[in-house]
Amino acid sequence: LQHSDAVEKDLFIQRNYSSRTLFKGVFGSNWCSTLDLQLNISINSVSLYSCELGRYLSYEKINGFQFKNHERVIQKENYYYTYSINTSDDGYIKTTHENRVDTTMTYYFDLNGRLSHWSKNQKPVVYIIYKNNRIDQLLIKKAKPVQVWLTKSGLIQKIGEHISYDYHLGVLKKVSKRNLPIWKYEYDEFLNMTYWQGLGQFESMKYDNEWDRIIYIKDKQSCRFNFKYE
């Protein structure tokens, strides 16, 4: 499941949910977002967690900060993702993510692996301002800085003046804009999402906890999609 929060013009935060991962990011358990990306750098390799794929990708260090991934083109469902890592002219480690729907995301990390800034296609670059090793602001050049508020446990509580996030026991339950809910989520006791609702959208799911798989999905028009496994 992939949702995007429109914070300001040209500033979108992408969130990916997966029940098949133990990832816990700034939006709680099972959610991975743009703001969670970081490089794990060792002597001979670099690893990057892919929110879209729900797993780590490893890159072999070839020379200096030149890297090679032996599974560079990866297929998931009907999409192909291409990942590459190299060094930018200004000294950052640059990762490029492309897919077959003409979307190119470029992320820049410092030499410690911390995300510095990113861009989507040819849109303005978004910079992250840190304070005491926590995200403090998001910045687009020639625009007012966007403040980010976090809970004591490090979950994002609010971005800018209008987008807020509500949690229950560390699990994301609601996203609001100007105090009006735009996303609602429900989960079972195993943190498998069973329901989500957005503006003009509805989806409910039945989940088989024993076999860890979806039985059916139902949309707003009550169209039911059953899943069979062999």
Side-chain angles (χ1 to χ4, degrees), residues 50-96:
S50 167
C51 293
E52 296 94 342
L53 299 173
R55 64 183 178 89
Y56 282 93
L57 300 175
S58 295
Y59 294 78
E60 179 185 356
K61 186 179 291 186
I62 304 300
N63 181 21
F65 277 100
Q66 301 300 317
F67 308 91
K68 182 178 181 180
N69 185 316
H70 297 288
E71 50 173 358
R72 187 168 181 267
V73 179
I74 304 163
Q75 182 178 9
K76 181 182 179 183
E77 299 172 348
N78 295 323
Y79 296 95
Y80 288 87
Y81 295 91
T82 303
Y83 296 79
S84 62
I85 294 184
N86 51 49
T87 306
S88 65
D89 294 335
D90 49 1
Y92 290 95
I93 304 175
K94 180 175 71 173
T95 75
T96 303

Side-chain angles (χ1 to χ4, degrees), residues 5 9 17 19 27 39 52 57 68 88 129 142 158 174-175 180 207:
D5 303 326
K9 181 182 178 182
Y17 167 85
S19 63
F27 292 107
L39 294 179
E52 296 94 342
L57 300 175
K68 182 178 181 180
S88 65
I129 308 300
K142 298 182 180 180
K158 190 176 180 182
K174 184 174 65 174
V175 182
L180 296 177
Y207 206 89

Side-chain angles (χ1 to χ4, degrees), residues 37-39 108-110 112-116 130 133-134:
L37 296 181
Q38 65 177 6
L39 294 179
Y108 296 82
F109 301 83
D110 64 24
N112 293 316
R114 188 169 71 174
L115 181 62
S116 170
Y130 294 92
N133 291 321
R134 288 160 61 104

Side-chain angles (χ1 to χ4, degrees), residues 9-26:
K9 181 182 178 182
D10 296 323
L11 177 52
F12 296 84
I13 303 299
Q14 180 175 299
R15 298 179 287 109
N16 292 74
Y17 167 85
S18 174
S19 63
R20 294 181 176 272
T21 176
L22 299 177
F23 190 91
K24 184 175 181 180
V26 294

Side-chain angles (χ1 to χ4, degrees), residues 17 31 171-173 185-189 191-194:
Y17 167 85
W31 284 97
V171 179
L172 181 63
K173 297 288 288 184
Y185 306 102
E186 293 181 6
Y187 313 81
D188 62 20
E189 65 271 28
L191 297 184
N192 298 309
M193 189 179 295
T194 57

